[in-house]
Amino acid sequence: MRRDPHISVTGPDGVNLAERLCDVFVGIRVSDFAGGEVDELHIIFRRQKPYLMPPPPGTVFTARLGWEAERAQMMGEFAYERTLYSGEPESGQEMILVCRAADLTDAWKRVDSEHFDDETGHKTYGDVLRTLASKAGVDVAIDATLDALPLPSGYLLRWKQSAIGLATEIADDLGAIVKLQAGKLTVRRRGSFTSPSGGELPAIAIPFDPNYAFQADIEPRYGFSEVAAGWFDDRAGRAADLVHALSGGFARLALPHLAGSEAFAKASAEAAAQKLEAESATAYFEMAGNAAAVAGAPVKPEGFGPDIDGVNWEAIAVYHDAGPDRGWITTVEAALAW
């Protein structure tokens, strides 16, 4: 028996579009990403005459979702960016308002150039990230290990790059996740499972149910035995290698660029090794709508078999698809936790 979720999508006037436009309202999709991509809200309408007109660019919508109105959870605030139109013989025409997380302000998207070094008060990656967050007017929460990591050779250049682009690049190099959420820039190590407030994210329990789809791709990695990252040793006056061992294999992966410090070489080697391991297992699981399922949380499949249940999964993306005629399905994309 299908259950009907409570859906609330309110704009500046505070009126729920799901109720006001119930004759053409199809549903919503909320996309929650662990890092690197911006969370999105799709508001879907049937397209019929008289045609609906899109709102002004930048209009902010608030989405709430739950199985009961009184328990509906806030899914986020999203700013309207563009409109998608589509049509199929069977399903008819649709108009989709594409909105992106309102936390991604113009300050984060603006392209600029600047340098960071000791003279400008930047000794560590934490100093750089705090400056980027301060200019955007948000708070910051950074993993202590990443915060204290010194800049390679004491210098970092931002060249014709957005602030969020630089922050994401730093995170990728260090095996971290950067995310704008709840008015805060969060930078955490992959697999640390921490929320923007610093607390532990609750695990997403997914019991096996034959009524929902799933797929798991688990591939043993035997190609590499170690990752080597080079760095320039100022004291010795020569290049040196730092090696991070992997679980198996015979080949050696050597990172192509010399790091400016031993600490950065160590972080780069660990990040590359973790990525090789993480890519060996990917999956998606569908389940009954669950607003508590968020990207970045540990995923605990139950009843799928020991080869799937026993993997240390992490949610890299979570999608909530809900509508008055379609119910509510939560889809969790997962990978081996770094």
Side-chain angles (χ1 to χ4, degrees):
M1 179 178 176
R2 185 175 61 82
R3 300 166 63 192
D4 294 324
H6 172 79
I7 303 170
S8 173
V9 183
T10 56
D13 60 4
V15 177
N16 186 0
L17 297 183
E19 296 176 351
R20 171 189 281 176
L21 302 173
C22 60
D23 55 332
V24 293
F25 179 75
V26 174
I28 63 173
R29 162 172 265 218
V30 180
S31 302
D32 177 23
F33 302 105
E37 296 183 71
V38 180
D39 296 349
E40 288 190 347
L41 166 69
H42 288 190
I43 311 172
I44 309 166
F45 299 98
R46 278 186 290 275
R47 191 164 186 256
Q48 59 190 42
K49 295 181 180 180
Y51 295 133
L52 289 177
M53 297 302 295
T59 299
V60 175
F61 294 98
T62 301
R64 290 179 173 83
L65 191 55
W67 288 112
E68 294 87 23
E70 60 274 11
R71 295 184 181 179
Q73 293 192 33
M74 171 92 159
M75 307 302 288
E77 293 185 339
F78 304 85
Y80 165 72
E81 282 201 346
R82 68 187 193 279
T83 304
L84 297 177
Y85 298 97
S86 65
E88 294 182 359
E90 294 184 2
S91 60
Q93 299 183 51
E94 290 184 344
M95 180 180 81
I96 303 173
L97 304 183
V98 179
C99 311
R100 307 188 82 191
D103 291 307
L104 188 67
T105 61
D106 288 342
W108 284 110
K109 295 184 287 186
R110 186 180 301 118
V111 174
D112 204 348
S113 300
E114 58 184 323
H115 68 274
F116 305 92
D117 55 21
D118 195 16
E119 292 185 2
T120 61
H122 301 90
K123 296 182 178 180
T124 69
Y125 279 101
D127 294 334
V128 174
L129 292 166
R130 270 186 291 276
T131 292
L132 296 177
S134 176
K135 289 182 178 180
V138 301
D139 294 329
V140 63
I142 309 174
D143 175 87
T145 303
L146 303 176
D147 191 350
L149 192 64
L151 297 177
S153 303
Y155 183 84
L156 181 66
L157 175 65
R158 171 188 176 188
W159 178 250
K160 296 182 178 180
Q161 191 176 26
S162 68
I164 192 61
L166 177 60
T168 302
E169 181 180 291
I170 291 172
D172 288 344
D173 288 342
L174 303 181
I177 291 175
V178 61
K179 181 162 183 173
L180 287 165
Q181 187 176 19
K184 181 179 290 187
L185 176 71
T186 302
V187 186
R188 65 174 180 86
R189 289 171 296 151
R190 291 187 181 271
S192 61
F193 305 131
T194 53
S195 68
S197 62
E200 288 290 317
L201 289 170
I204 306 172
I206 307 177
F208 175 76
D209 186 330
N211 295 306
Y212 293 99
F214 79 94
Q215 178 176 294
D217 185 356
I218 302 174
E219 177 186 358
R221 291 278 174 155
Y222 300 113
F224 295 95
S225 63
E226 59 187 26
V227 176
W231 62 286
F232 190 80
D233 188 341
D234 291 330
R235 294 181 180 179
R238 58 182 175 80
D241 269 354
L242 188 146
V243 176
H244 184 93
L246 292 173
S247 56
F250 301 97
R252 186 190 208 213
L253 173 65
L255 300 184
H257 303 295
L258 278 180
S261 68
E262 183 178 8
F264 187 80
K266 182 175 184 293
S268 298
E270 289 178 350
Q274 290 167 346
K275 186 173 183 180
L276 285 174
E277 296 289 350
E279 289 178 344
S280 65
T282 58
Y284 76 83
F285 303 93
E286 290 184 354
M287 60 189 299
N290 181 3
V294 296
V299 179
K300 303 295 183 184
E302 301 169 354
F304 291 83
D307 47 348
I308 297 176
D309 294 356
V311 174
N312 185 26
W313 297 106
E314 176 179 6
I316 58 175
V318 176
Y319 305 95
H320 299 278
D321 293 283
D325 297 324
R326 61 174 67 178
W328 173 16
I329 292 179
T330 295
T331 303
V332 178
E333 287 188 5
L336 182 68
W338 289 24

